[in-house]
Amino acid sequence: MNLRPSAPGETARQARGGRQSVYARFFKRPLDILMVVTALPVIAPAIFGISVCILAAGNGPVLLRVSRKGRDGAIFRQLRFRCVDMRALEMPPVQGSAALDAQGRDPRLTVVGEFLIRTRLNALPQVWNVLMGEMSLIGPLPEPVRVDRQIERNATLRRVAPGIFCPSELPAYAHLSGKDRKAVAIAYATRVTFAMDVKVALNAVTSALRSQPPQPPAPPAT
């Protein structure tokens, strides 16, 4: 499946017409549950071990619960491991290279948090969101509750559950701007396929194994 940014006005037509694929309607959700339940013998000990490491690294909660918009605009609490020092929540918000210290590290991150973000393990608690039906393993990234109306989640994206891993994260789209990456997510939501989900899942696994340093994260959410 070749995803491409939609032409102007195309997303409006997509939102008004077209039905989701048979896979999206009948198999995607059961497959999400099957994958998570099958992986629980590995996921559960990993969550326990990471929780112990976060507690040992300093005071503060193990999990952050962040309000996000999901399918049909429903608001849910997205779970993630806390990766920042609690004192960072009081720091002025900075982005890009301004957030890095002389060694190229983000001083807001704990040592454990830096590893979790690099390996994407900070998103591991979101398997609970998947089990609850609030998220899918693969899908468009969930939108913050408070967003500018011009970039608000459109009707096409609301048709599907947001995902832990997004098609716009594939290497083929790494050069795209934020606006074009969102167009890729809209193209995915227009026609969800098993082949694309497998491709995104494999990319997530290989990226975690390579443990490539991420871009400086956005200001920590409370």
Side-chain angles (χ1 to χ4, degrees), residues 47 79 148 159:
I47 289 178
L79 301 178
D148 187 279
R159 295 169 56 191

Side-chain angles (χ1 to χ4, degrees), residues 91-138:
M91 295 180 181
V94 289
Q95 298 185 19
S97 59
L100 305 181
D101 60 18
Q103 286 73 42
R105 294 183 62 256
D106 189 333
R108 299 170 297 176
L109 298 179
T110 63
V111 174
V112 175
E114 187 174 18
F115 170 78
L116 293 178
I117 290 178
R118 186 170 66 246
T119 57
R120 294 294 298 271
L121 289 173
N122 64 316
L124 196 56
Q126 290 168 28
V127 295
W128 177 255
N129 295 121
V130 174
L131 288 176
M132 291 296 99
E134 299 163 333
M135 296 183 66
S136 175
L137 291 175
I138 311 297

Side-chain angles (χ1 to χ4, degrees), residues 12 23 39 53 67 87 138 142 146 156-157 161 191 193 210 214:
Y23 163 70
C53 292
S67 295
R87 293 169 296 183
I138 311 297
R146 297 181 179 178
T156 303
L157 289 178
R191 191 170 190 278
T193 67
R210 289 196 302 266

Side-chain angles (χ1 to χ4, degrees), residues 133-188:
E134 299 163 333
M135 296 183 66
S136 175
L137 291 175
I138 311 297
L141 295 179
E143 296 278 7
V145 172
R146 297 181 179 178
V147 294
D148 187 279
R149 290 187 177 181
Q150 293 181 349
I151 60 172
E152 190 174 2
R153 195 175 185 85
N154 71 18
T156 303
L157 289 178
R158 294 193 194 103
R159 295 169 56 191
V160 299
I164 298 177
F165 304 105
C166 181
S168 62
E169 297 173 337
L170 289 170
Y173 309 120
H175 66 286
L176 297 179
S177 66
K179 182 178 179 180
D180 285 340
R181 285 195 181 197
K182 183 159 186 175
V184 168
I186 292 172
Y188 168 84

